[in-house]
PDB file of all heavy atoms in Angstrom:
ATOM      1  N   ALA A  19     -35.926   0.906  -9.378  1.00 37.00           N
ATOM      2  CA  ALA A  19     -36.309   0.890 -10.786  1.00 37.00           C
ATOM      3  C   ALA A  19     -35.469   1.881 -11.569  1.00 37.00           C
ATOM      4  O   ALA A  19     -34.866   2.783 -11.015  1.00 37.00           O
ATOM      5  CB  ALA A  19     -37.784   1.236 -10.926  1.00 37.00           C
ATOM      6  N   ALA A  26     -40.901  10.747 -18.214  1.00 61.00           N
ATOM      7  CA  ALA A  26     -41.288  11.134 -16.860  1.00 61.00           C
ATOM      8  C   ALA A  26     -41.543  12.625 -16.807  1.00 61.00           C
ATOM      9  O   ALA A  26     -41.265  13.370 -17.747  1.00 61.00           O
ATOM     10  CB  ALA A  26     -40.195  10.742 -15.875  1.00 61.00           C
ATOM     11  N   SER A  28     -40.501  16.041 -15.797  1.00 86.00           N
ATOM     12  CA  SER A  28     -39.195  16.631 -15.513  1.00 86.00           C
ATOM     13  C   SER A  28     -39.299  18.149 -15.471  1.00 86.00           C
ATOM     14  O   SER A  28     -39.949  18.759 -16.330  1.00 86.00           O
ATOM     15  CB  SER A  28     -38.172  16.214 -16.575  1.00 86.00           C
ATOM     16  OG  SER A  28     -37.988  14.815 -16.581  1.00 86.00           O
ATOM     17  N   PHE A  31     -34.964  23.510 -11.595  1.00 95.00           N
ATOM     18  CA  PHE A  31     -34.959  24.638 -10.672  1.00 95.00           C
ATOM     19  C   PHE A  31     -33.494  25.009 -10.428  1.00 95.00           C
ATOM     20  O   PHE A  31     -32.794  24.329  -9.679  1.00 95.00           O
ATOM     21  CB  PHE A  31     -35.643  24.278  -9.354  1.00 95.00           C
ATOM     22  CG  PHE A  31     -37.088  23.890  -9.501  1.00 95.00           C
ATOM     23  CD1 PHE A  31     -37.435  22.580  -9.827  1.00 95.00           C
ATOM     24  CD2 PHE A  31     -38.085  24.836  -9.343  1.00 95.00           C
ATOM     25  CE1 PHE A  31     -38.762  22.226  -9.972  1.00 95.00           C
ATOM     26  CE2 PHE A  31     -39.423  24.483  -9.483  1.00 95.00           C
ATOM     27  CZ  PHE A  31     -39.759  23.175  -9.809  1.00 95.00           C
ATOM     28  N   HIS A  43     -42.663   8.266  -8.021  1.00 94.00           N
ATOM     29  CA  HIS A  43     -41.360   8.104  -7.385  1.00 94.00           C
ATOM     30  C   HIS A  43     -40.495   9.232  -7.959  1.00 94.00           C
ATOM     31  O   HIS A  43     -40.313   9.336  -9.176  1.00 94.00           O
ATOM     32  CB  HIS A  43     -40.748   6.757  -7.730  1.00 94.00           C
ATOM     33  CG  HIS A  43     -41.568   5.597  -7.258  1.00 94.00           C
ATOM     34  ND1 HIS A  43     -42.587   5.050  -8.005  1.00 94.00           N
ATOM     35  CD2 HIS A  43     -41.524   4.895  -6.096  1.00 94.00           C
ATOM     36  CE1 HIS A  43     -43.126   4.048  -7.341  1.00 94.00           C
ATOM     37  NE2 HIS A  43     -42.499   3.926  -6.179  1.00 94.00           N
ATOM     38  N   GLN A 168     -46.185  14.818  -4.976  1.00 95.00           N
ATOM     39  CA  GLN A 168     -46.579  13.644  -4.196  1.00 95.00           C
ATOM     40  C   GLN A 168     -47.730  13.938  -3.226  1.00 95.00           C
ATOM     41  O   GLN A 168     -48.177  13.036  -2.518  1.00 95.00           O
ATOM     42  CB  GLN A 168     -45.375  13.104  -3.424  1.00 95.00           C
ATOM     43  CG  GLN A 168     -44.272  12.562  -4.339  1.00 95.00           C
ATOM     44  CD  GLN A 168     -43.081  12.050  -3.561  1.00 95.00           C
ATOM     45  OE1 GLN A 168     -42.830  12.454  -2.424  1.00 95.00           O
ATOM     46  NE2 GLN A 168     -42.322  11.155  -4.181  1.00 95.00           N
ATOM     47  N   PRO A 202      -3.891   9.673 -14.108  1.00 83.00           N
ATOM     48  CA  PRO A 202      -3.296  10.903 -14.648  1.00 83.00           C
ATOM     49  C   PRO A 202      -2.132  11.428 -13.821  1.00 83.00           C
ATOM     50  O   PRO A 202      -1.128  11.883 -14.371  1.00 83.00           O
ATOM     51  CB  PRO A 202      -4.477  11.882 -14.647  1.00 83.00           C
ATOM     52  CG  PRO A 202      -5.687  11.020 -14.762  1.00 83.00           C
ATOM     53  CD  PRO A 202      -5.362   9.782 -13.987  1.00 83.00           C
ATOM     54  N   GLY A 260      -2.934   3.211   0.566  1.00 59.00           N
ATOM     55  CA  GLY A 260      -3.230   3.046   1.981  1.00 59.00           C
ATOM     56  C   GLY A 260      -3.309   4.374   2.703  1.00 59.00           C
ATOM     57  O   GLY A 260      -3.456   5.442   2.108  1.00 59.00           O
ATOM     58  N   LEU A 268      10.373   2.612  -9.166  1.00 95.00           N
ATOM     59  CA  LEU A 268      11.076   1.448  -8.639  1.00 95.00           C
ATOM     60  C   LEU A 268      12.450   1.299  -9.287  1.00 95.00           C
ATOM     61  O   LEU A 268      12.609   1.529 -10.491  1.00 95.00           O
ATOM     62  CB  LEU A 268      10.250   0.185  -8.875  1.00 95.00           C
ATOM     63  CG  LEU A 268       8.894   0.136  -8.149  1.00 95.00           C
ATOM     64  CD1 LEU A 268       8.120  -1.109  -8.556  1.00 95.00           C
ATOM     65  CD2 LEU A 268       9.086   0.180  -6.647  1.00 95.00           C
ATOM     66  N   ALA A 308      23.809  -7.723 -20.520  1.00 92.00           N
ATOM     67  CA  ALA A 308      22.444  -8.012 -20.077  1.00 92.00           C
ATOM     68  C   ALA A 308      22.408  -8.846 -18.800  1.00 92.00           C
ATOM     69  O   ALA A 308      23.368  -9.519 -18.440  1.00 92.00           O
ATOM     70  CB  ALA A 308      21.691  -8.735 -21.187  1.00 92.00           C
ATOM     71  N   TYR A 315       7.151  -9.639  -4.754  1.00 96.00           N
ATOM     72  CA  TYR A 315       6.737  -8.530  -3.895  1.00 96.00           C
ATOM     73  C   TYR A 315       6.339  -9.067  -2.529  1.00 96.00           C
ATOM     74  O   TYR A 315       5.493  -9.952  -2.412  1.00 96.00           O
ATOM     75  CB  TYR A 315       5.559  -7.788  -4.527  1.00 96.00           C
ATOM     76  CG  TYR A 315       5.177  -6.532  -3.760  1.00 96.00           C
ATOM     77  CD1 TYR A 315       5.938  -5.371  -3.875  1.00 96.00           C
ATOM     78  CD2 TYR A 315       4.074  -6.522  -2.913  1.00 96.00           C
ATOM     79  CE1 TYR A 315       5.605  -4.227  -3.177  1.00 96.00           C
ATOM     80  CE2 TYR A 315       3.728  -5.372  -2.209  1.00 96.00           C
ATOM     81  CZ  TYR A 315       4.501  -4.230  -2.342  1.00 96.00           C
ATOM     82  OH  TYR A 315       4.179  -3.108  -1.640  1.00 96.00           O
ATOM     83  N   ALA A 319       8.058  -4.164  -0.681  1.00 90.00           N
ATOM     84  CA  ALA A 319       9.123  -4.029  -1.683  1.00 90.00           C
ATOM     85  C   ALA A 319       9.288  -5.342  -2.447  1.00 90.00           C
ATOM     86  O   ALA A 319       8.774  -6.393  -2.037  1.00 90.00           O
ATOM     87  CB  ALA A 319      10.437  -3.628  -1.018  1.00 90.00           C
ATOM     88  N   ALA A 327      23.521 -13.229 -15.177  1.00 93.00           N
ATOM     89  CA  ALA A 327      24.165 -12.225 -16.020  1.00 93.00           C
ATOM     90  C   ALA A 327      24.691 -12.879 -17.292  1.00 93.00           C
ATOM     91  O   ALA A 327      25.111 -14.052 -17.287  1.00 93.00           O
ATOM     92  CB  ALA A 327      25.305 -11.553 -15.266  1.00 93.00           C
ATOM     93  N   GLY A 332      26.137  -7.568 -25.754  1.00 73.00           N
ATOM     94  CA  GLY A 332      25.636  -7.330 -27.098  1.00 73.00           C
ATOM     95  C   GLY A 332      24.175  -7.724 -27.192  1.00 73.00           C
ATOM     96  O   GLY A 332      23.543  -8.131 -26.211  1.00 73.00           O
TER      97      GLY A 332
END
Side-chain angles (χ1 to χ4, degrees):
S28 298
F31 299 85
H43 298 87
Q168 295 179 336
L268 296 175
Y315 186 77

